[in-house]
Amino acid sequence: MQTLAILAAKLSSSILRCFGRGGSLPGSIALKIDDKILNKLEFTGPIILVTGTNGKTSTANMIADLLSYAGYKVISNRKGDNLKAGITTTLLTNASLSGRVNATACVLEVDELNVRHILLNIPVTCFVVNNFFRDQLDRAREMEQLIESIEKVLPDYRGDLILNGNDPNVVRLSLKAKHSHCYYFGMDMNAYSMQNTNEASEGKFCPECGSKLVYDYYQYSHIGKFHCSQCDFKTPDMDVILNHVNLNNQSFECDNILYRQPYMGMYSMYNCAAVLMVAKYLNISDQEVKKVFSNAPQPAGRNERFEKNNQICILNLVKNPTGANEVMKVIETDDTDKTICIVLNDNEQDGTDVSWIYDTFFEKIMNEHTKSIICTGCRGYDMALRIYYGGYKGNITVVDTIEKAIQTSFSTHLKVYAIATYTALLPTRQMIVKEMGL
């Protein structure tokens, strides 16, 4: 059955490529033939699993680049097929018929809800966790349930953990992983740290005793330096810590070495901290890390910039309040006159519950420099109502298609910020490219 499952995955993947397609179907077919196929594979070298609500794709891709620069032959699910079937596709299409994976390192992004299907089925060397936030409540349910699904498999996990030490919801995993050594990355207090926050904050109570958590400072949302008011649960000592953070020039220091991060925002610096922790864990030099940061591609929709004939458009993906708030902060720092186009969908991949828009501080972009806000998508009117309730005094327009929204945005002849949910991202990007003639 093992050989047949691998052969089926390879053949179906080849057929799909002939039609210019990819995806997780080959893995689904293989799992139907042999549902234990992952347990039967043979690996050489480190296997790194990366998860978290925000930033797992960028982090996993940078770690894959890091290992490639360090001389490993790496396979990775770079296109984001991060469910069990997608990961199975990645591994089987890079394996021999005997089940030997043809790589000296594997870096696999995994959806949080699928960790329980992967972590104990392949010999994971280290498990990297960025953060946990509320996200797609209709699919992932409450964050507590999501974390518990991971905690249930940790008592039998014998690899190492690389954890965001500033997120109490991530640090709590160490309490369940009794056979694992934990390494922590984080960020020191800096000019952008806050004593108080009114952002959506999930990390309010101690996971060990249930008492209130006390914060010395916040970086964003519930990320910061914390300790329990009753027991000894607290921010752990860091193995990698960023300091001298400068968001204006996107730089920071670590171990007295200056780095420049490839993406904007404080939340992206945590992705870089995770990469630095993996580099330290595998004894990879800081020069290779710098090479990763300087050559990191800009993912589609992550502050992606389009420019032609004095027209500028910047596209961002949003999918939950924490990520959206960080996008709002970036836009807020731009004091030029602008038009904002928001595309809100509620398809299954977006999350059918769009109540998160009321936990997002759209008020940050409701200032004199935002001349108009154009809303569209399946829930365009809901988005417009949110902007209206936020007290925006400028022009709010609702249009019925993404094409009209982009055309209307560009007709203002101002810089355009396009904000789109998951299923709207590619169509929005395509319309931007079409309208700008790129």
Side-chain angles (χ1 to χ4, degrees):
M1 299 295 284
Q2 171 186 325
T3 301
L4 181 59
I6 296 172
L7 183 61
K10 287 178 174 292
L11 287 175
S12 56
S13 180
S14 296
I15 292 169
L16 287 171
R17 282 200 303 271
C18 291
F19 292 94
R21 295 178 58 192
S24 59
L25 179 61
S28 296
I29 294 171
L31 289 166
K32 288 287 187 182
I33 297 171
D34 186 349
D35 62 358
K36 303 294 185 185
I37 186 62
L38 291 179
N39 301 88
K40 300 173 182 179
L41 299 178
E42 298 178 34
F43 295 86
T44 301
I47 302 171
I48 299 174
L49 219 59
V50 182
T51 199
T53 308
N54 293 329
K56 56 182 172 286
T57 300
S58 297
T59 302
N61 288 347
M62 286 194 290
I63 292 172
D65 288 338
L66 175 71
L67 269 64
S68 293
Y69 289 138
Y72 290 89
K73 180 182 177 183
V74 181
I75 63 169
S76 182
N77 53 339
R78 284 183 176 272
K79 294 184 179 180
D81 293 324
N82 61 15
L83 305 185
K84 184 178 181 180
I87 290 171
T88 302
T89 299
T90 297
L91 294 175
L92 297 192
T93 54
N94 288 280
S96 67
L97 293 179
S98 66
R100 187 171 187 83
V101 177
N102 300 315
T104 58
C106 297
V107 180
L108 301 169
E109 173 195 340
V110 60
D111 170 78
E112 303 96 293
L113 282 174
N114 276 254
V115 168
R116 66 187 189 274
H117 300 308
I118 303 297
L119 194 66
L120 300 183
N121 286 318
I122 59 176
V124 175
T125 308
C126 71
F127 179 32
V128 181
V129 186
N130 262 1
N131 48 60
F132 290 126
F133 299 105
R134 279 195 307 123
D135 184 39
Q136 297 186 4
L137 291 180
D138 54 292
R139 184 183 79 89
R141 297 171 292 176
E142 287 295 341
M143 190 181 65
E144 182 68 22
Q145 294 172 292
L146 182 149
I147 297 172
E148 285 178 355
S149 76
I150 297 175
E151 288 180 326
K152 286 177 181 177
V153 298
L154 287 177
D156 295 321
Y157 172 60
R158 294 183 179 272
D160 294 322
L161 289 173
I162 291 180
L163 305 176
N164 181 347
N166 286 143
D167 187 341
N169 297 318
V170 173
V171 173
R172 65 182 273 187
L173 298 181
S174 65
L175 303 176
K176 300 294 184 180
K178 300 300 184 183
H179 301 294
S180 301
H181 185 86
C182 298
Y183 300 87
Y184 298 98
F185 61 88
M187 189 184 300
D188 206 354
M189 189 173 185
N190 54 67
Y192 311 94
S193 304
M194 302 168 289
Q195 296 297 317
N196 299 289
T197 181
N198 59 353
E199 295 179 9
S201 298
E202 287 87 2
K204 293 181 178 180
F205 301 103
C206 175
E208 194 153 27
C209 73
S211 300
K212 183 177 177 59
L213 287 180
V214 178
Y215 278 78
D216 295 348
Y217 57 83
Y218 297 88
Q219 305 292 19
Y220 70 97
S221 189
H222 65 273
I223 307 297
K225 186 175 182 181
F226 56 87
H227 65 273
C228 177
S229 56
Q230 297 296 326
C231 74
D232 60 358
F233 182 78
K234 63 179 181 179
T235 299
D237 293 334
M238 302 291 183
D239 297 280
V240 161
I241 188 161
L242 310 189
N243 47 45
H244 298 110
V245 170
N246 188 326
L247 294 181
N248 293 325
N249 62 13
Q250 297 173 225
S251 69
F252 59 86
E253 289 185 14
C254 181
D255 293 331
N256 298 315
I257 298 172
L258 178 67
Y259 296 91
R260 293 192 183 279
Q261 70 152 337
Y263 311 118
M264 295 183 69
M266 183 177 288
Y267 63 102
S268 295
M269 288 194 175
Y270 277 94
N271 301 342
C272 295
V275 174
L276 281 160
M277 186 64 254
V278 171
K280 189 171 185 178
Y281 177 77
L282 295 175
N283 293 313
I284 299 174
S285 76
D286 61 280
Q287 293 305 312
E288 305 296 351
V289 175
K290 287 186 175 183
K291 195 184 298 183
V292 170
F293 293 163
S294 62
N295 293 297
Q298 189 71 45
R302 273 73 167 186
N303 214 52
E304 187 177 10
R305 184 183 180 94
F306 304 85
E307 187 168 1
K308 185 178 180 181
N309 298 332
N310 297 319
Q311 176 68 67
I312 297 172
C313 180
I314 298 172
L315 174 63
N316 272 294
L317 168 71
V318 295
K319 58 177 184 172
N320 56 48
T322 298
N325 280 333
E326 293 306 300
V327 170
M328 297 307 116
K329 290 176 186 177
V330 171
I331 298 175
E332 183 185 29
T333 62
D334 185 348
D335 59 2
T336 60
D337 289 348
K338 63 185 73 67
T339 296
I340 294 176
C341 176
I342 307 176
V343 190
L344 178 64
N345 280 353
D346 65 348
N347 298 313
E348 184 178 355
Q349 289 171 291
D350 303 293
T352 56
D353 183 344
V354 298
S355 62
W356 61 268
I357 64 176
Y358 287 90
D359 291 326
T360 298
F361 287 94
F362 288 101
E363 286 78 6
K364 288 182 176 295
I365 59 175
M366 299 179 193
N367 54 47
E368 70 275 14
H369 298 296
T370 298
K371 299 303 181 182
S372 62
I373 298 178
I374 296 153
C375 304
T376 190
C378 305
R379 303 292 288 268
Y381 282 96
D382 295 80
M383 191 67 246
L385 191 63
R386 167 68 183 91
I387 298 300
Y388 175 78
Y389 283 156
Y392 179 60
K393 303 302 182 184
N395 183 44
I396 306 171
T397 304
V398 181
V399 296
D400 58 1
T401 67
I402 294 174
E403 183 175 15
K404 287 182 183 177
I406 295 301
Q407 289 172 345
T408 304
S409 299
F410 286 169
S411 70
T412 64
H413 304 294
L414 299 174
K415 178 187 279 189
V416 173
Y417 279 92
I419 302 166
T421 52
Y422 190 81
T423 62
L425 183 65
L426 182 57
T428 302
R429 191 180 190 280
Q430 290 171 336
M431 285 299 107
I432 292 169
V433 170
K434 177 183 177 182
E435 289 301 311
M436 295 185 73
L438 297 172

